[in-house]
């Protein structure tokens, strides 16, 4: 899935000059389960977009500046803010609809192996609660494994006790995989398209408008457990603020949505987990330091073992 973007003036990039052109023309599409699909694997044949994948570490300072201005332009961050939706879920094309609607946020499977949609959610905490409780059920049923399932259970219970505010504010489309290779650029680093939207979800504004992953200082995020904006995140937020979008600038400077998502998905025995979890903990609890064993002892005292003691997976 992709959308393409016409380029602003390359010499003096400015907000408001870019134009969104979507959808890209699709020539043919087939699902893996389609009995008429001779390829026998899902595919999508679509119009080739101009540009090439960005390689952020190779870009010059001038190219990065152009990219950041274009990212903040009306067709991306500021443009997406003009397209609010009212539910959390994934866009779904229904028969007879010219435009997609917000459909189920995710699916679970029944004991018969049939997919059961989990409704689109109006409230933020309801969405995260359903996701985390689903993970706990899978863990207790042995459908997902962890080196120590008790630790995974304690993480999930801690997340449940510290969910974001149960608001019903407008929701926005969130790409989820905003690394550099998913942005197509020309030689000046004007953004010509954004690709690989298949994991996209309509999400709370603090997730949709956080800075893209390519701007993160990965050493601070994954090794030091810090959520302070990188130099490039600060530049991006500054462009938004300079153009009268202080609210977007604040959202682009925080990582609550990223931290929460990573804690839900990451195994507690991953080498990156403790810094990721400590980064989330510092956001929601505001301590200066985090010590895993102290947290674990307090969490075990509060939540118990979830019936998982003795179910270690070696």
């Amino acid at each position: 899935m992709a959308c393409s973007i016409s380029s602003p003036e390359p010499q003096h990039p400015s907000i408001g000059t870019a134009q969104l052109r979507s959808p890209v023309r699709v020539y043919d599409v087939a699902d893996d389960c389609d009995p008429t699909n001779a390829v026998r694997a899902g595919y999508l044949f679509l119009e080739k977009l101009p540009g090439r994948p960005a390689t952020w570490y190779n870009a010059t300072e001038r190219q990065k500046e152009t990219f950041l201005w274009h990212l903040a332009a009306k067709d991306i961050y500021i443009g997406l803010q003009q397209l609010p939706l009212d539910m959390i879920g994934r866009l779904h094309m229904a028969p007879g609809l010219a435009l997609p609607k917000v459909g189920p946020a995710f699916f679970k499977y029944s004991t018969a192996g049939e997919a059961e949609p989990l409704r689109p959610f109006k409230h933020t905490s309801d969405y995260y609660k359903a996701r985390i409780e689903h993970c706990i059920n899978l863990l207790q049923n042995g459908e997902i494994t962890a080196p120590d399932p008790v630790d995974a259970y304690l993480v999930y219970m801690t997340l449940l006790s510290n969910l974001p505010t149960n608001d019903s504010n407008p929701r926005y489309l969130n790409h989820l995989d905003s690394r550099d290779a998913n942005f197509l650029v020309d030689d000046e680093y004007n953004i010509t398209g954004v690709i690989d939207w298949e994991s996209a979800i309509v999400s709370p504004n603090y997730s949709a408008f956080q800075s893209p992953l390519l701007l993160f200082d990965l050493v601070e995020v994954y090794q030091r457990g810090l959520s302070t904006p990188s130099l490039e995140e600060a530049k991006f937020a500054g462009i938004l603020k300079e153009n009268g979008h202080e609210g977007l600038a604040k959202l682009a400077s925080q990582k609550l949505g990223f931290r929460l998502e990573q804690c839900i998905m990451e195994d507690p025995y991953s080498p990156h987990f403790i810094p990721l979890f400590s980064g989330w903990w510092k956001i929601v609890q505001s301590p200066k330091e985090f010590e895993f064993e102290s947290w674990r002892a307090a969490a075990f005292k509060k939540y118990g073992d979830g019936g998982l003691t003795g179910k270690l997976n070696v």
Side-chain angles (χ1 to χ4, degrees):
M1 186 176 176
C3 70
S4 64
I5 303 163
S6 64
S7 298
E9 293 297 324
Q11 297 303 316
H12 302 285
S14 60
I15 284 187
T17 59
Q19 301 291 324
L20 182 66
R21 182 170 62 84
S22 181
V24 172
R25 183 177 179 184
V26 175
Y27 299 102
D28 193 19
V29 61
D31 190 84
D32 336 27
C33 303
D34 184 350
T36 66
N37 178 5
V39 179
R40 298 188 179 181
Y43 64 82
L44 177 67
F45 292 146
L46 68 159
E47 176 185 5
K48 183 179 179 180
L49 301 182
R52 54 185 171 79
T55 50
W56 193 248
Y57 62 90
N58 282 334
T60 66
E61 289 304 311
R62 176 58 178 167
Q63 287 173 325
K64 289 181 178 181
E65 180 183 358
T66 299
F67 181 96
L68 293 178
W69 275 88
H70 205 178
L71 185 65
K74 280 185 177 179
D75 55 339
I76 307 183
Y77 269 58
I78 293 175
L80 283 175
Q81 192 182 35
Q82 308 308 313
L83 300 170
L85 295 158
D86 61 353
M87 304 287 275
I88 298 173
R90 300 187 185 277
L91 293 182
H92 172 69
M93 286 300 298
L97 292 181
L99 294 174
K101 67 175 185 178
V102 180
F106 62 98
F107 290 81
K108 65 178 182 178
Y109 289 90
S110 69
T111 53
E114 297 177 348
E116 297 179 348
L118 268 284
R119 67 188 188 281
F121 293 85
K122 186 157 185 71
H123 299 287
T124 303
S125 288
D126 292 343
Y127 163 65
Y128 283 116
K129 183 181 181 209
R131 279 191 63 191
I132 295 168
E133 287 181 342
H134 178 55
C135 290
I136 292 173
N137 289 335
L138 293 177
L139 187 69
Q140 292 176 327
N141 293 335
E143 295 180 58
I144 58 175
T145 61
D148 187 339
V150 174
D151 280 4
Y153 171 77
L154 295 176
V155 168
Y156 291 141
M157 292 302 297
T158 302
L159 295 176
L160 277 177
S161 299
N162 295 275
L163 291 176
T165 304
N166 203 20
D167 66 83
S168 57
N169 294 327
R171 314 303 184 182
Y172 301 90
L173 187 62
N174 182 7
H175 186 283
L176 285 186
D177 189 12
S178 51
R179 54 198 169 100
D180 56 357
N182 284 332
F183 290 93
L184 301 182
V185 295
D186 62 17
D187 290 342
E188 287 77 34
Y189 264 58
N190 297 302
I191 302 171
T192 60
V194 185
I195 61 173
D196 288 353
W197 288 83
E198 55 264 34
S199 298
I201 188 169
V202 179
S203 66
N205 61 356
Y206 54 80
S207 293
F209 296 119
Q210 65 189 14
S211 290
L213 302 178
L214 67 96
L215 302 184
F216 284 13
D217 183 331
L218 297 181
V219 172
E220 287 204 351
V221 169
Y222 283 98
Q223 296 182 21
R224 299 174 185 164
L226 300 177
S227 300
T228 49
S230 69
L231 178 61
E232 288 160 346
E233 287 178 86
K235 286 182 180 179
F236 178 53
I239 293 170
L240 291 166
K241 185 175 182 180
E242 180 182 337
N243 284 270
H245 294 274
E246 188 167 352
L248 280 181
K250 289 180 180 178
L251 293 172
S253 301
Q254 54 78 48
K255 294 184 175 68
L256 174 60
F258 170 80
R259 289 294 189 188
L260 180 54
E261 289 290 335
Q262 292 293 305
C263 289
I264 293 173
M265 296 186 298
E266 196 77 30
D267 189 292
Y269 278 77
S270 160
H272 302 304
F273 179 78
I274 291 180
L276 287 171
F277 187 73
S278 69
W280 168 80
W281 184 256
K282 291 171 187 175
I283 290 174
V284 299
Q285 296 290 334
S286 301
K288 292 183 179 179
E289 301 295 334
F290 174 82
E291 204 279 313
F292 185 81
E293 292 302 326
S294 297
W295 161 79
R296 188 189 186 284
F300 188 84
K301 183 177 180 180
K302 183 174 183 179
Y303 304 116
D305 66 359
L308 291 162
T309 297
K311 294 185 179 180
L312 302 183
N313 296 287
V314 180

